[in-house]
Amino acid sequence: MEFTLEDISAQEFERRRELFGPLADSVRELIDAVIRTEVDEDIVHDAHAQIVSVVESLRTRQIEGSFGVRHTADMKGMPWGNAVIGLRNAVAPPLQLTRQDNGLVTTDFTLGAAYEGPPGCVHGGVCAMVLDHVLGQAGSADDVPCYTGTLTMRYLRPTPLGRLHAEAIIAERDGRKKIVRGAISDAHGETVTAEGVFIVPKDWAGVMPETPRPPAR
Amino acid sequence: MEFTLEDISAQEFERRRELFGPLADSVRELIDAVIRTEVDEDIVHDAHAQIVSVVESLRTRQIEGSFGVRHTADMKGMPWGNAVIGLRNAVAPPLQLTRQDNGLVTTDFTLGAAYEGPPGCVHGGVCAMVLDHVLGQAGSADDVPCYTGTLTMRYLRPTPLGRLHAEAIIAERDGRKKIVRGAISDAHGETVTAEGVFIVPKDWAGVMPETPRPPAR
């Protein structure tokens, strides 16, 4: 597993962000439109032909394999291919996370037709995907790296499509384990709660904070 | 939560499948190309303009809200908007599941750049999303409906992007609970295992089989 350093200026970073952000956003719109359209067959055929041609033009020069996890020389992150937060990845909503001083990680986001499971509701697996990411970020909010050991979701009720909130925080520590708790909520409260056990690699165990942070709930 | 019946012929079902399947497939290619492209700025701008125009043409007539879960009068399923298996949903890989006579649900699938988390690896949340769906299908493979109560993933090692396999089966029963176990594997064995507790609605509890099926492992 290798992280990629790209020696680019702040200006070049911005240029790429402004170039590829809107492109991926237009693809997010396209995903939604392909699910919901009711236009006549000839318009669908035209759309298909145009998309195939756009793909061809974009593929005339491309990287091998996946995007990877890149950062600039001054360690500005470019997780732009990430399936949950990736600026250039139209599969990603993308989530935008905020880390508070107490280690609480939060995100407000909207999930539309592309994330549906039961009618009108977010796919339970998409809830799990969001929670995996948010808990993972909360787990490393103390700057001690860790990887996901186990992750347990408790589905309280269906999560409606639309505006949602998710948050997570380190709730307990036990040796090299961090217990992280979090939830997805709609306007009426929690719909799915999650608990993750995150493991600190052996060579990092010495730097674990001794005092636990305040629990999330 | 409402399921939608569409009174269409087998022929019309096929026509729609053949119309929208390739369209969504071209969008899957586009998602990948947008992540990986290294073409010049003017080509990206052209691509953006063309996608915006395609979206506009598809949106001239579209359904309100999400696709829902539809079926034909003879109960052929059209879960085409589903985030994991949806034919018309480019967020979905889409998974194609097979149910064996003993209730084992399996799927072989490929995850590319759009599903990346750690460099070269599947996002842990995407693994969770896949397992949620596969376990859910295995949970109702006995034709007794149930909903997901809890779902626990155990991450054994990173899951590489590429060709993968997932499967799940009802392993135990306990009153109105079904314990479903499953895993994602690559060519070298399991990467993530999962256990889900699925709950049978009260008015269905009477029809639960008394003899448990053989456990998955």
Side-chain angles (χ1 to χ4, degrees):
Chain A
M1 220 183 274
E2 277 182 35
F3 294 79
T4 313
L5 185 145
E6 283 206 78
D7 197 6
I8 57 172
S9 66
Q11 196 184 356
E12 172 62 11
F13 176 92
E14 266 316 305
R15 187 191 70 82
R16 293 193 195 175
R17 215 172 57 86
E18 283 167 19
L19 184 62
F20 291 110
L23 181 66
D25 279 342
S26 71
V27 180
R28 290 184 183 101
E29 284 291 317
L30 180 61
I31 293 169
D32 182 271
V34 165
I35 295 169
R36 298 169 57 199
T37 191
E38 294 198 298
V39 296
D40 292 337
E41 200 161 316
D42 55 341
I43 301 181
V44 174
H45 284 138
D46 282 356
H48 181 242
Q50 283 182 72
I51 297 166
V52 168
S53 143
V54 170
V55 170
E56 203 171 306
S57 73
L58 292 173
R59 288 211 191 282
T60 50
R61 204 167 73 228
Q62 65 178 9
I63 57 166
E64 284 292 311
S66 57
F67 191 80
V69 178
R70 307 181 187 199
H71 56 82
T72 62
D74 54 348
M75 293 305 287
K76 205 166 353 186
M78 291 185 286
W80 292 351
N82 187 283
V84 178
I85 59 167
L87 173 87
R88 281 176 67 159
N89 187 340
V91 162
L95 295 197
Q96 295 186 307
L97 304 173
T98 306
R99 185 207 291 195
Q100 296 180 8
D101 287 344
N102 66 350
L104 182 74
V105 169
T106 71
T107 177
D108 292 285
F109 56 105
T110 299
L111 296 181
Y115 301 97
E116 190 175 40
C121 296
V122 181
H123 193 294
V126 171
C127 294
M129 179 173 80
V130 165
L131 285 164
D132 173 90
H133 196 93
V134 175
L135 267 70
Q137 289 301 302
S140 53
D142 59 3
D143 295 325
V144 178
C146 56
Y147 55 87
T148 317
T150 63
L151 180 68
T152 301
M153 256 68 60
R154 181 173 297 274
Y155 294 90
L156 309 179
R157 60 181 168 89
T159 302
L161 290 174
R163 198 72 188 148
L164 297 166
H165 173 87
E167 58 177 64
I169 195 168
I170 299 173
E172 292 171 41
R173 293 171 198 278
D174 177 12
R176 279 171 52 216
K177 289 182 187 168
K178 310 184 204 179
I179 314 296
V180 180
R181 298 209 178 96
I184 293 178
S185 313
D186 66 5
H188 306 288
E190 293 178 347
T191 60
V192 189
T193 61
E195 180 174 301
V197 178
F198 292 81
I199 315 290
V200 177
K202 274 195 183 134
D203 47 343
W204 273 86
V207 303
M208 287 279 282
E210 286 178 26
T211 325
R213 289 168 188 275
R217 63 205 66 237
Chain B
M1 218 181 275
E2 277 180 37
F3 294 80
T4 312
L5 185 146
E6 284 206 77
D7 196 7
I8 57 173
S9 66
Q11 196 185 355
E12 172 61 12
F13 176 92
E14 266 316 307
R15 188 192 69 84
R16 294 194 194 175
R17 214 172 58 86
E18 283 167 18
L19 183 64
F20 292 110
L23 180 67
D25 279 342
S26 71
V27 180
R28 290 183 183 103
E29 285 290 318
L30 180 62
I31 293 169
D32 182 90
V34 165
I35 296 169
R36 298 170 56 198
T37 191
E38 294 198 297
V39 296
D40 291 338
E41 201 161 316
D42 54 340
I43 300 181
V44 175
H45 286 309
D46 282 356
H48 180 242
Q50 284 181 71
I51 296 166
V52 168
S53 142
V54 170
V55 170
E56 203 170 308
S57 73
L58 292 174
R59 287 212 192 283
T60 50
R61 203 167 74 225
Q62 65 179 9
I63 57 165
E64 284 293 310
S66 57
F67 191 81
V69 178
R70 307 182 187 196
H71 56 82
T72 62
D74 54 347
M75 294 305 289
K76 202 159 6 178
M78 291 186 285
W80 291 351
N82 187 284
V84 178
I85 59 167
L87 173 88
R88 281 176 67 160
N89 187 341
V91 163
L95 295 197
Q96 295 185 306
L97 305 173
T98 306
R99 185 207 290 195
Q100 296 182 7
D101 287 343
N102 65 350
L104 182 74
V105 170
T106 72
T107 176
D108 292 286
F109 55 105
T110 299
L111 296 181
Y115 301 96
E116 189 175 40
C121 297
V122 181
H123 193 295
V126 172
C127 294
M129 179 172 81
V130 166
L131 285 164
D132 174 90
H133 195 93
V134 176
L135 267 69
Q137 289 300 305
S140 53
D142 59 3
D143 295 324
V144 178
C146 55
Y147 55 87
T148 318
T150 64
L151 180 68
T152 301
M153 255 69 59
R154 181 173 296 274
Y155 293 91
L156 308 179
R157 60 182 168 89
T159 302
L161 290 174
R163 197 74 188 146
L164 297 166
H165 173 86
E167 58 178 63
I169 195 168
I170 300 173
E172 291 172 41
R173 295 171 197 276
D174 177 14
R176 278 172 52 217
K177 290 181 186 168
K178 309 183 204 180
I179 314 297
V180 179
R181 297 209 179 95
I184 293 178
S185 312
D186 67 4
H188 305 288
E190 292 179 348
T191 61
V192 189
T193 60
E195 179 173 301
V197 178
F198 292 80
I199 316 290
V200 177
K202 275 196 183 130
D203 47 343
W204 273 85
V207 303
M208 287 279 283
E210 285 178 28
T211 323
R213 288 167 189 277
R217 63 205 66 238

